[in-house]
Amino acid sequence: VVVGVVLGIRPFLVRLRLPYHARAAVILSISVVLLLAALLLAPALRSETLWSVAFFPVIVLGLLSEGIARTIERDSPFTALWRVTTTIGIALALAGIIQIPLLREIAIEFPELVITQIVLIILIAEFLDLRLLLDLDAKLSGLPPPRLFSANPALRVVLVRNRYRGGVIGRLGIPIRSGYRRHNVSRVVECLRERGHGVEVVEGDMSLLATLRDLIPPHPLTSQPGGLVFNMAHGIQGDLAAAHVPAMLEMSGLAYTGPTPLGYACIQDRVLMGTLLRQAEVPTPDFRLLGPSADECRDLRYPVLVGPRTSTGRRRRLARNRQQLLNEVARVAAHEGQAAVVEPVVVGRKIEVAILGNDPPRCLPLVETLPGRAGRTCPAALDTKLAAATRAAALAAFHACNCRDYAVVELRITPGGHPVVIGIEVAAALEAGAALEIAAAAAGLPYGELIGRIVNIARERYRPAQSPGAGLPVPAMDDGKNRGHLVAG
């Protein structure tokens, strides 16, 4: 009865977004009501069986039922059945042991030892059985094995995204306004599942680490990572919000796709990015950091682009004169709480270079945005020498800004024929119809294969150097010179 009630009401409690301790409180309350109902009804019905319910550890069973419901939700009904069976088996084994005369006399003399039995049942059922038999459980239930490195190319993948603005303690910092839409996340999930990966989608908030500990625990004997996090989180609030989830993953020792917190800082802080690109001798626009007073703007040439120092999802705006510049600097200070970065407008053909891989990273065919609403073309119509210079500048920017796995480098080709790096995009690179998808298609790599390639690239990056055996195969990419298509704008 208790298990049935818990399984029945839990979906409703989850829809209310109640945290675990709140759900546990509701379950405990229901268990107490059932106990009281048994005590009140047993004398009236003259039922010894119903009377004995009051002395059964129903509250403990209620908490175990919550664990069973979570197992059904996150793993499979087989895993939940395995947990129930092992729990009953452990309980029967302890009950059999207590029938030994000496132990039985001790139990009668010290009835509080029953609590020890209950604690043992919970601990063993909750941790020991599933942790030691994870591989068997995965094999029988059809799930990928809980290992990052194995002969099986499929693995457990947890996709982290930000859909809700809750899941925080306080409301400090500027809220982030960008992020992947639901259909983009669903598309990636479908691609991963088509390749045999077991996929769960979770929220990138303060509950993330506890959730990941349950979904992809390390192997109990080897401490090998139990899976991979596919990071599509853009953050909720505060400075460099896109780096928050990677920072949590770094701290917890989990494998994940995309840049590290340092990489996101280099990409999203325009002052840091500009400084690193200059040190690497990568052509990039000059920049100036202006505060609310903007006394340093007297010698600027207009028009200029004005935006916050770190990305918050707002686009940079154009200022055509000093008054517009002062207004934009004041707006950034008031709404973003940051100093404004001012850059000259670079005129020329817009080229996007999608980069995939790490050792070494490779450029996919170049994507050009055509004037007006003509859309995009790939590969871009550049001569061999200019195309090579564009790819070299993009790869130099990729290395200088600590990128990894994938990125899209945005450039302008000046009228003099020189590529200038104006930005690097990772947080929205997997959007449908973005440059990364267009370039991959031109290279003969459908979107599903692209997502699978990113998983394999990140997976290989974590492989220990001393690990025996060859890595996962990485097929050569077509440079797209003989391919081309026009994408409608």
Side-chain angles (χ1 to χ4, degrees), residues 370 373-378 433 438 485-489:
L370 302 177
R373 297 185 177 181
R376 292 168 167 170
T377 184
C378 182
I438 295 172
H485 62 275
L486 189 65
V487 182

Side-chain angles (χ1 to χ4, degrees), residues 283-285 344-351 368 382-383 386 389-390 411-422:
T284 190
V345 177
V346 180
V347 179
R349 299 168 65 181
K350 181 179 179 181
I351 304 295
E368 180 177 4
L382 302 179
D383 61 62
L386 182 56
T390 302
L411 304 96
R412 290 277 185 177
I413 306 297
T414 65
H418 302 290
V420 177
V421 175
I422 59 174

Side-chain angles (χ1 to χ4, degrees), residues 17-21 160-162 164-171 202-213 233 235-237 244-245 248 251:
R17 297 187 60 80
L18 292 180
Y20 173 75
H21 63 271
V160 180
R161 54 93 168 97
N162 288 115
Y164 305 103
R165 298 193 182 277
V168 297
I169 297 174
R171 291 294 180 184
V202 302
E203 190 70 19
D205 56 19
M206 64 182 183
S207 66
L208 176 62
L209 296 185
T211 303
L212 292 176
R213 182 176 55 189
I236 299 175
Q237 62 183 4
H244 295 172
V245 166
M248 297 171 72
M251 178 186 67

Side-chain angles (χ1 to χ4, degrees), residues 338-355:
Q338 302 182 32
V341 174
V342 179
E343 298 178 1
V345 177
V346 180
V347 179
R349 299 168 65 181
K350 181 179 179 181
I351 304 295
E352 294 172 280
V353 183
I355 298 177

Side-chain angles (χ1 to χ4, degrees), residues 94-107:
L94 290 174
I97 292 173
I98 210 65
Q99 298 303 316
I100 299 174
L102 178 60
L103 296 179
R104 187 171 185 176
E105 291 178 5
I106 295 175

Side-chain angles (χ1 to χ4, degrees), residues 104-174:
R104 187 171 185 176
E105 291 178 5
I106 295 175
I108 293 174
E109 186 174 356
F110 303 100
E112 62 271 15
L113 290 177
V114 174
I115 298 176
T116 306
Q117 295 183 45
I118 295 173
V119 171
L120 284 174
I121 292 173
I122 295 175
L123 291 178
I124 296 174
E126 188 73 15
F127 300 103
L128 185 61
D129 63 328
L130 289 177
R131 296 300 180 264
L132 293 181
L133 299 173
L134 277 172
D135 290 348
L136 176 62
D137 172 60
K139 182 177 180 181
L140 295 177
S141 60
L143 296 173
R147 294 183 181 182
L148 187 59
F149 310 116
S150 67
N152 189 345
L155 70 157
R156 297 188 179 184
V157 177
V158 178
L159 189 149
V160 180
R161 54 93 168 97
N162 288 115
R163 179 180 173 186
Y164 305 103
R165 298 193 182 277
V168 297
I169 297 174
R171 291 294 180 184
L172 294 177
I174 303 298

